[in-house]
Amino acid sequence: SFHRTDIYQGSGFCVTGKIEAGYIQTGDRILAMPPNETCTVKGITLHDEALDWAAAGDHVSLTLTGMDIIKINMGCVFCDPKEPIRVCTRFRARVLIFNIEIPITQGFPVLLHYQTVSEPATIRKLISVLHKSSGEVLKKKPKCLSKGMNAIVEIQTQRPVSLELYKDYKELGRFMLRYVGSTIAAGVVTEIKE
């Protein structure tokens, strides 16, 4: 559990995670998305060693100041204020439907799982069914999706989520969909709706 008493005003607070792209240096101003607020990197720790910088692929702990920890949640992404990650509640994705006994229809409720986040969502629209290997459209606006199908769908989340297009950042553009405890689909983000 996390106690607020571990944080002293002025000394900042600590977050841990993996650097997906680029690099980070102590003294950098970085943007937290959501809540869309900037803070300063006071320290970087990698394998219990204090460093001046770290790069893509490193699992680091960052000591941050200039922001209230209460605003930071699991799945929050820190990025360059000049190139903020996109935050959305609606996006399109290419999904592969796994073994599910009931057909997936418009309005179907799911849990969106990506990185460390689990967010309630709805399949808002069924756009098309695709050929598994060639990706060509076999059917537009299908009434339902069933197991083994490859499809383009539009997903709506309850709260804003930080995602990227799969083609730009593979790790930030991949997700799973769950329904009553089982994984029913895997997908990649193809379009972000502002």
Side-chain angles (χ1 to χ4, degrees), residues 123-184:
I123 296 177
R124 257 182 69 113
K125 284 183 190 161
L126 308 180
I127 313 284
S128 57
V129 174
L130 307 175
H131 186 279
K132 265 208 192 84
S133 42
S134 72
E136 70 176 297
V137 175
L138 298 178
K139 189 176 185 188
K140 284 196 167 143
K141 295 189 183 163
K143 286 274 178 281
C144 68
L145 301 176
S146 51
K147 95 177 176 196
M149 279 186 176
N150 221 307
I152 299 284
V153 296
E154 190 168 299
I155 295 170
Q156 169 112 41
T157 55
Q158 283 183 13
R159 295 184 305 182
V161 291
S162 301
L163 291 168
E164 286 284 5
L165 299 181
Y166 180 73
K167 67 180 178 61
D168 297 338
Y169 292 102
K170 300 220 174 332
E171 285 305 316
L172 297 171
R174 257 200 266 269
F175 62 89
M176 294 288 196
L177 295 178
R178 289 174 69 84
Y179 177 73
V180 295
S182 11
T183 301
I184 59 161

Side-chain angles (χ1 to χ4, degrees), residues 75-130:
C76 171
V77 174
F78 293 88
C79 52
D80 183 341
K82 291 190 211 61
E83 292 182 45
I85 188 173
R86 292 189 256 195
V87 173
C88 66
T89 54
R90 235 162 29 102
F91 62 93
R92 286 195 177 181
R94 181 173 175 162
V95 294
L96 171 62
I97 311 298
F98 298 152
N99 283 355
I100 178 165
E101 298 311 313
I102 53 174
I104 294 171
T105 51
Q106 193 171 312
F108 197 85
V110 289
L111 261 184
L112 172 75
H113 273 269
Y114 69 100
Q115 302 281 68
T116 53
V117 183
S118 183
E119 194 58 49
T122 309
I123 296 177
R124 257 182 69 113
K125 284 183 190 161
L126 308 180
I127 313 284
S128 57
V129 174
L130 307 175

Side-chain angles (χ1 to χ4, degrees), residues 36-111:
N36 195 11
E37 287 194 23
T38 56
C39 50
T40 304
V41 179
K42 270 285 184 274
I44 300 168
T45 315
L46 178 67
H47 309 307
D48 296 327
E49 194 183 335
L51 300 173
D52 293 330
W53 65 276
D58 292 341
H59 281 270
V60 294
S61 292
L62 303 177
T63 306
L64 306 175
T65 59
M67 189 174 150
D68 190 347
I69 186 155
I70 206 100
K71 295 181 171 163
I72 301 293
N73 286 314
M74 284 274 274
C76 171
V77 174
F78 293 88
C79 52
D80 183 341
K82 291 190 211 61
E83 292 182 45
I85 188 173
R86 292 189 256 195
V87 173
C88 66
T89 54
R90 235 162 29 102
F91 62 93
R92 286 195 177 181
R94 181 173 175 162
V95 294
L96 171 62
I97 311 298
F98 298 152
N99 283 355
I100 178 165
E101 298 311 313
I102 53 174
I104 294 171
T105 51
Q106 193 171 312
F108 197 85
V110 289
L111 261 184

